[in-house]
Amino acid sequence: MKKTQYMIAEFENPAELLKAAEKIRDAGYKKFDCHSPFPIHGMDDAMGMKRSPLGWIVGLVAVVAVTAGVVLQWWTSSVAYPIVIAGKPFFSYQAYGPVAFAIMVLTSAFVSLFGMLALNKLPQFYHRLFDSDRFGKVTDDGFLISVEADDPQFDVKKTEDLLKQVGGKNVEIIG
Amino acid sequence: MQDYRLTDKNIIGKPALIVGVAGLALSMIGYFMDPKQFFYSYLVAYVFWTTLALGGLFFTLLHHLTGAEWSTVLRRISESVMVSFPILAVLFIPVALGMHDLYHWTHTDVVVNDKILSAKAPYLNVTFFIIRTAAYFAIWSLLSWRLHKLSLEQDSNPSPELRKKFRKISAPGMLLFAVTITFAGFDWLMSLDPHWYSTIFGVYVFGGSLLAIYSFLIIFGLMLRKRNILQDTITVEHYHDLGKFLFAFTIFWGYIGFSQYFLIWYANIPEETIWYLYRWEGSWSIITMIIVLGHFLVPFILLMPRANKRNLKFLNFMAVWIFVMHWIDIYWLVIPNLHQQGFQLSWMDLTLTLGIGGLFMYWFWRKLSANALVAINDPSLEISINFTNN
């Protein structure tokens, strides 16, 4: 497995982290991430992140699921095993509504959850960043930025200077 | 600091008054030609605008009750919508005068010979009906008048105590609102067909009211924006949120409408299904399909993408669409009791809707333009203006 190198830097507080993220974004970096103990308002914009495609994926799946729900009920109640219930026609689409709806919602909920995990590459039990002792602070009071060495903009000297210039402390290379 | 006052106060006032008076005057001719049609058309128009006012009351109550911040810039507009209840109370008089034409249960000779109607008579009788309606208007007027007055007080005196007062009124106010809108729906609309009943009917009317206010806020806000009024105060972020509510309550309305239909369809009891049968007979089925598709399916799909809710031109179109659909919905609730063979539009449907709407808008504009267009001393105004959806 190819090992990615990271350069990390620590920041004082969420506001500093946000400002630093904006500057790194403006410097043209794409493969970098911000780490904090809690979500920071406006971070998506500061990092220049695109909107997640998850909504469209779920939407597409929902259309398939609702169709499948109707087809399933049509097939079971008017083709495979037709029974007259309450004198209603075999194809009683009104009655299909709630079940088709429920199938759609359930499927969409699963796709939302597992799609989110997949897009975030989770679960992931180990990450190279954990090699740094400093990185553990991120679950407590640490605000860090990590830049991947794979980023085309990456250059050991220049990136270190940039991180220091935007207020980063304790810059270190992992890996 | 801006003072948020209008420089040109004549944008809506006079034209609305002229439309209102002309509309009602024209309709008077219709009254002498066909009083029954007049009263039915009047009820459609009247309920349409009243549901908008009720939506305004709900919007304001919800704003205070939840401590919402984003909607602070819209509060003054919704407050000006809801203070129209005294006018609407006066405009109820024609409905009261037309009760004999509108409501079957007012005919004593019919009630005596009808087991069900005589059993319902302790509730459905003219005196109690008028008392109830008076009570609704007393409650709505009092709530909206108090909240509006406190809001204006805040403009000159930014006391933090006011927030508590708003909430103290809004909490019981919300409960009273829920009960009164339910029973108003029962009394004014459901009792048109006195044998029929549906316990969810009030919620259905409530769902429509909310669509009315959210679409109205979008249409009116964008009309101001076109004239460069409040264009930096009510931003695309607020319209996006209003669009979300429009979308959410489209689903809510559809959910309630379907729930009502579904149970009746399943049970298949003649005294319940008759209501839908009337709305499926002849050309009424066209209107019913227009409502199913236009009031639910089309806005449901078109309002789903985020980009559509942030596209102000498109959102404006959808708001107008839903506003019109809400009118058709009320029409569909009322008119099948008059024209059972098939739908039949009357010119009075139009003139009365414009007539009552003209007076409504005149009063709304008078209240709005007399004060600052936003609650200038609200502690969350700054937050509301700078609010974003990200």
Side-chain angles (χ1 to χ4, degrees):
Chain A
M1 206 176 102
K2 192 179 135 289
K3 287 182 179 175
T4 316
Q5 277 194 320
Y6 290 89
M7 183 179 278
I8 63 169
E10 247 187 284
F11 292 85
E12 283 289 313
N13 52 45
E16 291 275 302
L17 189 68
L18 196 74
K19 261 188 252 157
E22 281 171 354
K23 282 177 188 147
I24 294 173
R25 172 198 68 194
D26 292 342
Y29 286 87
K30 296 267 183 266
K31 291 182 173 177
F32 73 102
D33 209 350
C34 298
H35 311 271
S36 75
F38 45 79
I40 297 169
H41 204 74
M43 187 50 98
D44 287 10
D45 274 350
M47 289 177 63
M49 280 170 73
K50 285 198 201 101
R51 287 186 60 77
S52 161
L54 189 60
W56 291 102
I57 297 171
V58 174
L60 217 68
V61 169
V63 173
V64 175
V66 78
T67 314
V70 172
V71 170
L72 170 77
Q73 292 174 85
W74 158 77
W75 184 74
T76 48
S77 59
S78 29
V79 178
Y81 205 88
I83 300 180
V84 175
I85 300 168
K88 304 242 191 318
F90 291 132
F91 184 76
S92 291
Y93 60 90
Q94 293 93 336
Y96 299 172
V99 177
F101 175 75
I103 290 175
M104 176 184 76
V105 170
L106 188 69
T107 316
S108 304
F110 275 127
V111 172
S112 307
L113 176 66
F114 292 111
M116 180 275 287
L117 290 175
L119 290 175
N120 284 321
K121 302 193 181 81
L122 289 172
Q124 191 172 6
F125 300 106
Y126 174 76
H127 194 278
R128 265 191 100 70
L129 286 171
F130 300 166
D131 287 353
S132 160
D133 291 335
R134 230 172 245 117
F135 193 76
K137 286 175 79 180
V138 88
T139 58
D140 178 18
D141 60 352
F143 302 94
L144 290 95
I145 285 183
S146 63
V147 183
E148 288 183 28
D150 289 356
D151 194 289
Q153 296 285 319
F154 190 84
D155 176 276
V156 179
K157 184 81 191 65
K158 276 188 196 157
T159 307
E160 188 177 346
D161 285 349
L162 176 67
L163 282 170
K164 279 183 178 160
Q165 190 200 323
V166 298
K169 297 194 180 68
N170 303 325
V171 179
E172 67 173 296
I173 288 185
I174 302 169
Chain B
M1 174 113 181
Q2 273 177 279
D3 73 341
Y4 292 109
R5 274 170 191 282
L6 279 172
T7 39
D8 177 14
K9 293 192 176 183
N10 295 319
I11 303 173
I12 288 186
K14 250 190 200 148
L17 188 65
I18 292 167
V19 170
V21 172
L24 290 181
L26 259 173
S27 310
M28 278 307 284
I29 304 168
Y31 168 74
F32 292 109
M33 284 159 61
D34 186 353
K36 210 166 160 111
Q37 175 68 51
F38 172 85
F39 285 124
Y40 272 91
S41 299
Y42 190 92
L43 189 66
V44 173
Y46 178 77
V47 170
F48 175 72
W49 290 102
T50 308
T51 49
L52 175 61
L54 283 166
L57 177 58
F58 177 83
F59 187 91
T60 315
L61 288 171
L62 188 72
H63 171 86
H64 292 312
L65 209 52
T66 55
E69 281 165 343
W70 73 274
S71 49
T72 305
V73 293
L74 298 163
R75 209 182 82 195
R76 195 47 60 74
I77 302 177
S78 76
E79 283 167 353
S80 307
V81 169
M82 74 183 180
V83 286
S84 55
F85 282 119
I87 296 295
L88 289 168
V90 174
L91 286 171
F92 189 81
I93 293 170
V95 179
L97 293 176
M99 274 178 78
H100 194 76
D101 284 308
L102 287 168
Y103 301 107
H104 195 53
W105 50 265
T106 52
H107 300 218
T108 35
D109 50 320
V110 176
V111 175
V112 171
N113 295 317
D114 189 315
K115 240 187 167 171
I116 293 173
L117 290 190
S118 34
K120 286 185 179 180
Y123 182 84
L124 281 184
N125 61 69
V126 176
T127 323
F128 195 26
F129 180 93
I130 298 291
I131 292 173
R132 282 197 306 271
T133 297
Y136 305 149
F137 277 109
I139 289 166
W140 297 337
S141 305
L142 206 69
L143 275 176
S144 50
W145 171 75
R146 252 324 260 164
L147 286 172
H148 187 243
K149 195 170 164 251
L150 279 176
S151 175
L152 294 184
E153 239 174 80
Q154 195 181 36
D155 283 2
S156 50
N157 165 33
S159 148
E161 285 299 297
L162 282 169
R163 265 196 148 172
K164 278 189 199 158
K165 281 192 188 168
F166 280 132
R167 281 184 197 170
K168 252 190 185 152
I169 300 168
S170 299
M174 190 60 103
L175 289 174
L176 284 169
F177 172 83
V179 174
T180 46
I181 193 174
T182 303
F183 279 91
F186 288 169
D187 288 353
W188 299 348
L189 297 176
M190 201 168 87
S191 83
L192 285 167
D193 191 346
H195 288 105
W196 185 78
Y197 58 92
S198 163
T199 43
I200 210 170
F201 194 83
V203 186
Y204 182 85
V205 174
F206 163 74
S209 307
L210 294 203
L211 287 175
I213 187 67
Y214 288 121
S215 48
F216 178 82
L217 287 174
I218 293 171
I219 298 165
F220 184 73
L222 289 174
M223 191 220 80
L224 291 182
R225 193 184 181 83
K226 224 183 207 166
R227 291 164 196 272
N228 291 329
I229 303 166
L230 296 183
Q231 77 276 28
D232 300 321
T233 312
I234 308 177
T235 66
V236 67
E237 305 294 336
H238 300 103
Y239 289 110
H240 184 189
D241 266 17
L242 285 170
K244 288 182 205 166
F245 271 111
L246 208 56
F247 175 63
F249 280 98
T250 295
I251 300 171
F252 179 85
W253 177 90
Y255 189 86
I256 300 300
F258 181 74
S259 301
Q260 175 175 289
Y261 169 74
F262 189 53
L263 292 195
I264 290 173
W265 173 82
Y266 239 134
N268 211 5
I269 297 168
E271 67 189 67
E272 290 177 352
T273 49
I274 186 93
W275 195 82
Y276 281 105
L277 208 62
Y278 281 147
R279 283 156 184 79
W280 198 245
E281 216 145 272
S283 49
W284 278 112
S285 61
I286 299 169
I287 304 286
T288 305
M289 282 321 288
I290 287 176
I291 288 175
V292 171
L293 299 177
H295 205 310
F296 174 69
L297 203 66
V298 171
F300 170 68
I301 291 168
L302 290 182
L303 281 173
M304 211 180 312
R306 173 186 156 101
N308 286 2
K309 280 173 285 208
R310 292 179 76 87
N311 178 342
L312 295 184
K313 252 192 188 153
F314 184 79
L315 189 67
N316 193 27
F317 170 76
M318 283 317 292
V320 172
W321 174 285
I322 289 176
F323 204 60
V324 172
M325 277 299 155
H326 177 56
W327 186 88
I328 298 178
D329 185 31
I330 303 286
Y331 179 83
W332 178 80
L333 292 175
V334 172
I335 302 294
N337 294 295
L338 176 68
H339 300 299
Q340 283 172 3
Q341 311 315 319
F343 87 89
Q344 214 179 311
L345 269 174
S346 160
W347 59 271
M348 280 185 276
D349 293 329
L350 182 72
T351 53
L352 280 164
T353 302
L354 290 177
I356 296 175
L359 293 189
F360 183 94
M361 288 305 293
Y362 168 72
W363 188 255
F364 159 75
W365 184 255
R366 223 179 93 120
K367 289 290 177 186
L368 184 73
S369 58
N371 306 291
L373 294 177
V374 295
I376 40 176
N377 280 326
D378 193 297
S380 26
L381 182 63
E382 238 358 81
I383 303 169
S384 180
I385 292 173
N386 297 319
F387 151 81
T388 63
N389 274 297
N390 291 326

